[in-house]
Amino acid sequence: MNESVEVLREAADQGNAVAQFKIGVCYAKGEDVPKNVVEAVKWFRKAADQGYTGAQYYLGDIYYNGDGVERNEAEAVNWYRKAAELTENEENAQFMLHAMTGLDTFQAKARCLIGICYANGRGVPKDLAEAANWYRKAAKLGHARAQCLLGISYSNGWGVQKDEAEAAEWLRDAANQENSDAQFILGNLYLNGIGVPKDDEKAVEWYLKAANQGHAKAQYNLGSCYFHGRGVKEYKLDHTRFIADITDDESISEECDNLQNYLDGVFGNMNGALKWYRKAAEQGISEAQNKLGYIYAQGVAGVKDWDIACKWYRMAADQGDADSQYNLARGLAYGSANNKDEAFQWYRKAADQGHVKSQMALVFCYDTGSGVPEDKSEATGLLCKFAAQGNAHAQESLGSRLQSGLGVSKDCAQAVIWYRKAAEQGMASAQCRLADCYAEGAGVEYDREEAIKWYQKAADQGDDMAQCYLGNCYAEGLGVPKDAAEAVKWFKKASNGGNTEAQYSLGICYAEGVGAPKDVAEAIKWFAEAAKQGCDKAEEKLEELNNLG
C-alpha cells in the first residue's frame, strides 16, 4: 500500500473525517489501492456520519448509480439531501466561493441531483414543483446545470408558471458558464424570438459556442443557419445582379471580380453548412446525416454524387429516420445503384412508420412491379389501408380509382367521400376533384355554388386547374356575377402556373380587349406559350395574329 495511503488510514482510524473521505475516494477510484467500492462505502459512511458533505455526496452517487452496491435511489436521495443542507451563512460563503473559483460545491451538485430525482420520480415521488425548487437552490449557488434546468422549467412551465423571459435569464447565466446545453437552447430562443428579441446573429453566436464544445444538436442548427443564410452573411443565387452594360475591359474585369467574390460567398456559406452538418452527423444526428445526403444528392454544394448521398442517407436510415429511409430508397431506385429490390424494402420500413411519400411509393411499386412482382390488387389494398389511416394523398388516389373504376368497381359516390376527406385536410388537388364532382353531378347532386366553393379553396392554394375554372366561371357568369377583369386575374394566375387552357383564354382576353386593355403583343405571348404545350387552337390564333401583323 502506498505510504500516503498508510498515513491517511492512520488518521482515518483516529476518526479524522477528512482522511476518511480521502481514503474512501482512493478505494472508489482505485487510486494507489485496488478499487473496492465496499471499502469506499465503509469509509464514506464514517465521514458522512460526522457530517462531511463530500462523503455524503459520494454515497448518494454510489447508491444512485448502483456502483458496486445494490442500486437504491431512495437511499441516494437521503444522502444527497444530507449533503445539500446549508445554513444561511454557509450558503452565502459557498456562493462567494463559486464566484471566485468557478468550482461547484458538493452542496450545489447534491441540490441539482435532488431536483433531477424529483423531476424523474427517482427515489421520491415525481414532483416537478419540488424539482424546480431544488434547481433554484442549486442555481443560487451558481451551479450551471441547475441554472439550465431551471431555465428549461420556466420555458415549459414545469413546476413553475411559464415565463419565457425568466427562462432566458437563467439559461443565459448557465450559458455564460459554458454550459453547452444552455448555449444551444439560448440559440434556439434567439432564433425564434422566444423570451428575447429575435436575433439570428445572436443565435449563431450561441450555437457556435455550444458547437465548439461538441454539442451535436448545436452543430446541426449551426449548419442549418449557414445553409439558409440566417445570422451569417447571406448570398442568394441571383446571377442577374452581375448583368450590366459593360463597355470596356476594366468594367469586364471588375464585374468578373464581383462575380467571383459573390460565388465565394455562396460556397463559403455552403462549406460552413457542410462542416457543421458533418460534425453533427459524425455524432449520430440523423437529421444532419439526412441533410448531407440531400446536399450531395442535389449537388447544391457544387458536387452531385449519389454514392456519397446514399452513404449518409443509409446512416440515418439505419437509425430509423423515415425521411432518410425514403430518400435512400429513391437513391437506390433511381441512382447509379439501380437497386429497386432494396429500394422497395426501405420504402416499406418508412411506410410502416406512417411516412406519407413512402406509402405512396409502396403503392407505386406494386402497381408497376418495381422491386416486387406487380400486384394491382395489393396496391389497391394498401391504398385503402393508408387512406383509412388519414393519408390525404392515398385518399385522393383511392377516390380517383373509384371514380374511374381502375382496379376496383366504379363507385362515384364513394369517390366523392374520399375526395372530401382529402379536401378537408387542405389538399388542393383533392379540393379541385371534389369541385369537379359537384360541377358535373358525378357521385353527388349537381351544385354549382358548392363547386365554386371548393374551386376557390384549391385556387387560393395555387392549383392552376381550379384557377382556370374560376376564370371561366367569371368570364361566363357561371355561379358568380360575370366579371371579365376577375376572369383575367384568375387566367393570369393559372397561366403563370403553366395551365395551357388558361394561357389560351388569357390570349383571347388580350386579343379582344376583354377584361384587360387590348394588347396584341401580350396575346401573341400567351398563345405562343399555349402552342408550345401542343394547343392547336392557340397555334391557329397565333398564325392569324402573325398574318395580320
Side-chain angles (χ1 to χ4, degrees):
M1 185 179 289
N2 186 289
E3 185 178 348
S4 62
V5 176
E6 287 287 359
V7 173
L8 281 175
R9 182 183 288 279
E10 185 177 343
D13 284 338
Q14 293 176 18
N16 184 296
V18 175
Q20 291 168 342
F21 169 69
K22 288 183 176 180
I23 201 166
V25 172
C26 289
Y27 278 112
K29 296 183 176 181
E31 294 177 351
D32 299 324
V33 293
K35 184 173 180 178
N36 188 330
V37 178
V38 173
E39 193 70 10
V41 169
K42 181 185 84 173
W43 288 108
F44 283 145
R45 191 176 291 276
K46 286 178 181 289
D49 287 341
Q50 295 190 63
Y52 195 85
T53 303
Q56 294 166 337
Y57 174 81
Y58 264 85
L59 280 173
D61 266 3
I62 287 171
Y63 280 109
Y64 186 85
N65 295 310
D67 185 11
V69 299
E70 185 177 349
R71 186 169 187 172
N72 188 329
E73 292 170 345
E75 183 72 2
V77 172
N78 177 53
W79 286 110
Y80 285 144
R81 201 182 294 276
K82 288 179 184 292
E85 292 173 357
L86 283 174
T87 65
E88 184 176 346
N89 288 337
E90 289 173 332
E91 188 157 327
N92 291 335
Q94 292 210 6
F95 174 78
M96 294 301 297
L97 177 65
H98 177 84
M100 290 186 292
T101 67
L103 298 174
D104 289 321
T105 62
F106 287 121
Q107 287 89 345
K109 293 177 181 178
R111 290 177 174 191
C112 182
L113 287 168
I114 293 171
I116 291 171
C117 288
Y118 273 110
N120 296 284
R122 309 292 292 270
V124 288
K126 185 171 182 176
D127 187 331
L128 295 181
E130 194 65 15
N133 178 46
W134 282 102
Y135 293 151
R136 188 185 306 280
K137 289 181 178 184
K140 286 181 177 178
L141 295 179
H143 193 277
R145 187 182 182 192
Q147 291 169 340
C148 179
L149 291 171
L150 184 58
I152 292 171
S153 297
Y154 274 110
S155 183
N156 293 282
W158 292 343
V160 292
Q161 185 172 349
K162 186 171 183 176
D163 188 330
E164 290 164 346
E166 182 79 2
E169 288 303 314
W170 284 111
L171 288 164
R172 186 176 287 105
D173 287 345
N176 284 331
Q177 293 194 70
E178 305 304 323
N179 182 284
S180 61
D181 286 332
Q183 291 169 338
F184 164 66
I185 298 169
L186 200 55
N188 289 341
L189 297 185
Y190 275 110
L191 195 70
N192 297 290
I194 299 173
V196 293
K198 189 171 182 178
D199 189 326
D200 288 356
E201 290 185 5
K202 280 190 178 294
V204 167
E205 177 186 329
W206 286 112
Y207 285 147
L208 184 59
K209 288 178 184 288
N212 281 331
Q213 293 193 67
H215 195 288
K217 290 183 179 179
Q219 291 169 342
Y220 172 72
N221 281 15
L222 186 57
S224 294
C225 287
Y226 275 102
F227 187 85
H228 296 290
R230 296 191 64 177
V232 294
K233 190 172 183 181
E234 183 177 7
Y235 295 85
K236 293 184 178 178
L237 291 172
D238 180 7
H239 303 296
T240 60
R241 59 180 286 194
F242 298 104
I243 297 174
D245 292 328
I246 301 175
T247 57
D248 54 61
D249 290 341
E250 184 178 348
S251 295
I252 293 173
S253 176
E254 182 180 347
E255 287 301 310
C256 287
D257 288 342
N258 288 340
L259 179 57
Q260 185 59 55
N261 291 336
Y262 171 68
L263 293 175
D264 286 346
V266 171
F267 290 107
N269 273 7
M270 192 54 64
N271 285 335
L274 283 170
K275 169 187 172 180
W276 291 109
Y277 279 146
R278 186 173 284 109
K279 285 181 179 290
E282 288 170 351
Q283 293 199 66
I285 300 297
S286 61
E287 295 91 343
Q289 293 164 345
N290 184 53
K291 200 70 175 183
L292 283 172
Y294 169 82
I295 288 171
Y296 283 106
Q298 300 300 319
V300 295
V303 178
K304 189 170 185 176
D305 191 318
W306 265 112
D307 291 334
I308 296 177
C310 285
K311 179 193 83 170
W312 288 111
Y313 282 146
R314 190 180 294 279
M315 286 184 184
D318 285 338
Q319 293 190 65
D321 183 85
D323 283 337
S324 299
Q325 291 170 342
Y326 171 76
N327 289 333
L328 176 59
R330 284 184 58 78
L332 291 167
Y334 302 111
S336 58
N338 192 28
N339 189 339
K340 291 181 169 54
D341 291 348
E342 188 182 356
F344 172 81
Q345 297 303 324
W346 285 109
Y347 282 139
R348 182 176 288 284
K349 286 178 184 289
D352 288 343
Q353 294 189 64
H355 192 268
V356 170
K357 290 182 179 178
S358 295
Q359 290 178 339
M360 297 310 294
L362 206 58
V363 172
F364 173 82
C365 288
Y366 277 109
D367 259 336
T368 61
S370 178
V372 68
E374 183 178 322
D375 189 337
K376 294 192 180 298
S377 176
E378 179 68 13
T380 301
L382 285 173
L383 209 53
C384 291
K385 173 185 173 182
F386 299 146
Q389 290 174 0
N391 182 326
H393 292 274
Q395 290 168 343
E396 182 191 11
S397 184
L398 182 57
S400 177
R401 292 191 186 212
L402 287 163
Q403 188 175 17
S404 64
L406 178 63
V408 292
S409 299
K410 186 172 182 177
D411 190 332
C412 291
Q414 278 295 310
V416 168
I417 290 172
W418 288 110
Y419 285 150
R420 188 183 303 280
K421 287 180 183 290
E424 288 173 348
Q425 291 195 63
M427 191 168 183
S429 54
Q431 291 169 342
C432 190
R433 285 180 181 270
L434 181 59
D436 286 342
C437 291
Y438 276 108
E440 297 165 9
V444 68
E445 187 175 344
Y446 169 84
D447 189 328
R448 175 73 65 180
E449 290 184 3
E450 191 69 10
I452 288 174
K453 181 186 90 172
W454 287 107
Y455 280 132
Q456 185 73 58
K457 288 178 182 290
D460 288 341
Q461 292 192 71
D463 186 281
D464 63 275
M465 292 180 66
Q467 291 168 340
C468 182
Y469 186 88
L470 277 182
N472 288 330
C473 288
Y474 280 107
E476 299 175 28
L478 300 173
V480 291
K482 191 171 183 177
D483 187 330
E486 189 71 7
V488 167
K489 183 187 89 171
W490 287 109
F491 285 145
K492 192 174 292 186
K493 287 178 181 286
S495 295
N496 288 329
N499 186 284
T500 307
E501 186 64 31
Q503 291 168 343
Y504 172 77
S505 297
L506 188 58
I508 293 290
C509 291
Y510 279 116
E512 298 179 1
V514 178
K518 187 172 182 177
D519 188 329
V520 174
E522 274 295 296
I524 289 173
K525 168 188 168 182
W526 289 111
F527 285 141
E529 289 295 325
K532 283 179 190 177
Q533 299 191 67
C535 180
D536 292 336
K537 55 186 179 180
E539 185 71 46
E540 292 172 6
K541 287 290 183 182
L542 197 57
E543 189 175 342
E544 286 179 19
L545 290 176
N546 286 330
N547 289 335
L548 288 174

